[in-house]
Amino acid sequence: GSVDYGMEFLSDEVEEIIIDPVRCPNAKREFTGYELEMDKNGNFKGSYPDKDNHTIDAVRYAMEDVMTMRRAKIKNKKKKGFH
C-alpha cells in the first residue's frame, strides 16, 4: 500500500532525515520506533501499520511529488524494455 511504498522510499531514497529531539520529541519517537507490524506470534507481517505515524505521514505527503516522479521513471524504463 501507500504507507509501505512511502516507508520504502524514505528508507531507500532519502539520505538523511534530521530531527531535533528537543523541539520535536514526537517526531523522534515516531521515526525511531516505527516498525513493521507483528502477528500474534511475534513475527513480522511485512507491512507497516497505518497508526501512530502522523509526522511520518506528513513527510511522505511532502515527498509525494518526488515519489511520483521516481515511480514514473521506473514505469518508463520497464515500458522501454529496461529493468
Side-chain angles (χ1 to χ4, degrees):
S2 66
V3 173
D4 292 329
Y5 180 78
M7 289 303 297
E8 178 184 323
F9 179 84
L10 293 177
S11 297
D12 296 344
E13 301 294 328
V14 176
E15 187 174 320
E16 184 176 41
I17 297 173
I18 299 171
I19 300 169
D20 183 331
V22 175
R23 293 182 179 174
C24 308
N26 290 331
K28 177 188 177 241
R29 178 186 47 77
E30 278 187 28
F31 274 96
T32 58
Y34 199 64
E35 61 183 22
L36 296 170
E37 282 190 291
M38 294 185 143
D39 63 18
K40 61 185 174 193
N41 298 320
N43 300 311
F44 290 112
K45 287 184 177 182
S47 63
Y48 288 94
D50 192 13
K51 61 183 179 184
D52 301 324
N53 61 344
H54 301 293
T55 305
I56 294 170
D57 279 347
V59 173
R60 288 190 308 112
Y61 299 148
M63 299 295 295
E64 194 167 291
D65 286 346
V66 177
M67 289 189 293
T68 302
M69 287 188 325
R70 176 180 173 241
R71 199 179 269 179
K73 286 180 183 177
I74 291 169
K75 285 181 182 178
N76 288 339
K77 284 181 182 179
K78 287 183 179 181
K79 189 184 284 187
K80 294 179 181 180
F82 298 105
H83 299 284

